[in-house]
Amino acid sequence: RSARKLIRAGVRVEDLCLRDGYGATAHALYENVIDRAPVQLEHLTRPFFRILGRNLGDSARLLRFSREGRTVGWVVVLFHGDRAVDLFHGISYADNEEADLYFNQLAETIRLSIARGARVLSLGQSTETAKGRFGAVLEPRYIALKHRHEVLNRVLRGGTRKLFPPKPPPPSRRVFHGEEGRGEGAR
């Protein structure tokens, strides 16, 4: 259904080097996503993306979603060996509903990862339900924080649940044949 919506909306998907495709329009779409995030651990700058693309070369890919000559969405995907990481997204929310951009961004990230031979794909740490529809499984993540002032350490410990609320597992969906053999490549 989502793929048909993308086609009907006339959205085209391109796979580019991040260094060649990231500009002011893409960064404005990143800002759209950041503005809606319930928790913002970082707020990255446009130069960050350009430097990331320059330093990682062909390993840093930009999936650009265009409609009528306008960039309406994008995903940065990093590759290293047989691993891929869906790192950041940008979305035009004005186009999202008609083209189901976010769900299609996930699908295209999976397609690109398979095409490039990735055996493991990390889809990030939010929107578990959408990712669960693709068969994603939650993996625990940990963070260690320490401030030089003990009072602030106590504040950090006390605010852990607010900063990192526990997440329920996504609905289980079996997408791989012979799920009992589900290994690293199925994440």
Side-chain angles (χ1 to χ4, degrees):
R1 217 173 342 146
S2 293
R4 284 192 299 271
K5 283 178 85 171
L6 193 73
I7 292 166
R8 277 195 307 270
V11 175
R12 194 176 118 203
V13 182
E14 302 169 87
D15 169 19
L16 308 164
C17 275
L18 175 60
R19 68 172 175 255
D20 300 331
Y22 197 87
T25 301
H27 197 69
L29 296 176
Y30 165 77
E31 295 286 343
N32 283 350
V33 173
I34 287 297
D35 289 346
R36 288 182 173 217
V39 176
Q40 296 179 12
L41 295 178
E42 80 279 323
H43 194 134
L44 303 172
T45 64
R46 189 172 157 202
F48 168 84
F49 288 96
R50 287 197 313 262
I51 292 166
L52 182 69
R54 184 183 70 224
N55 289 345
L56 296 181
D58 188 52
S59 297
R61 308 303 298 174
L62 179 77
L63 286 172
R64 182 167 57 194
F65 292 69
S66 303
R67 183 179 192 194
E68 299 168 354
R70 299 178 295 115
T71 299
V72 296
W74 57 265
V75 183
V76 170
V77 186
L78 303 181
F79 291 91
H80 181 71
D82 67 349
R83 297 184 177 270
V85 177
D86 172 343
L87 198 57
F88 297 107
H89 288 241
I91 296 175
S92 163
Y93 289 103
D95 295 278
N96 187 44
E97 189 172 327
E98 188 178 349
D100 210 355
L101 287 172
Y102 182 70
F103 199 74
N104 279 298
Q105 286 176 335
L106 294 174
E108 291 298 327
T109 298
I110 293 167
R111 279 189 195 96
L112 178 64
S113 297
I114 291 169
R116 288 187 62 119
R119 293 184 44 80
V120 176
L121 168 61
S122 171
L123 288 172
Q125 45 193 356
S126 63
T127 62
E128 296 82 10
T129 300
K131 293 168 184 172
R133 289 175 60 195
F134 284 104
V137 294
L138 284 180
E139 288 187 344
R141 295 287 183 236
Y142 304 94
I143 186 169
L145 300 171
K146 182 171 169 118
H147 198 279
R148 65 182 111 171
H149 300 291
E150 186 51 39
V151 172
L152 291 176
N153 280 324
R154 281 186 245 137
V155 170
L156 284 172
R157 278 191 297 276
T160 300
R161 289 235 183 250
K162 183 74 172 158
L163 285 173
F164 307 102
K167 296 181 177 187
S172 177
R173 182 159 187 203
R174 298 186 173 296
V175 296
F176 298 99
H177 182 69
E179 288 274 334
E180 62 281 348
R182 189 175 195 167
E184 262 202 14
R187 285 191 197 138

